[in-house]
Amino acid sequence: MEAGWQVEGQYPISAYSNDLDCRDQLQASLSQLPDAAQAELAGLLRALDERFMQRTESDGTGELRPWLRPSSGTARHGFWLRKPRIVPW
């Protein structure tokens, strides 16, 4: 989703869904770490989230909803309601 990013091979919508699942799992894992590790990693996660927000936009029409299904059955973040500004699939 980086500007000028050239996809080698394919980046199917299932990979996007998997990436969102991984983001949810990171958040869940973060809460199980000692406080010092949480503080350090939370900053890195915030930076990653900022990049994601810059390169995505609201999926207000629900265009991707039929294909995005959290593995847990429930999305933990509003990231599931966003879509790439530049569609890579």
Side-chain angles (χ1 to χ4, degrees):
M1 289 184 282
E2 296 282 346
W5 178 56
Q6 295 298 314
V7 180
E8 291 182 24
Q10 291 186 345
Y11 181 78
I13 198 164
S14 59
Y16 184 66
S17 184
N18 184 59
D19 290 344
L20 293 172
D21 260 334
C22 289
R23 171 57 184 85
D24 284 345
Q25 292 170 12
L26 278 172
Q27 187 66 43
S29 297
L30 192 66
S31 65
Q32 298 173 5
L33 296 174
D35 291 344
Q38 277 188 41
E40 185 173 341
L41 294 175
L44 295 172
L45 193 52
R46 270 193 303 279
L48 182 63
D49 290 348
E50 286 174 17
R51 289 180 67 189
F52 177 81
M53 295 298 285
Q54 291 170 357
R55 289 158 181 83
T56 60
E57 60 191 21
S58 174
D59 184 15
T61 63
E63 177 183 346
L64 298 184
R65 268 182 228 135
W67 294 278
L68 297 181
R69 305 236 191 271
S71 63
S72 65
T74 305
R76 294 187 186 112
H77 292 92
F79 300 138
W80 288 89
L81 303 175
R82 300 186 66 79
K83 63 183 181 180
R85 290 183 191 273
I86 300 170
V87 179
W89 44 81

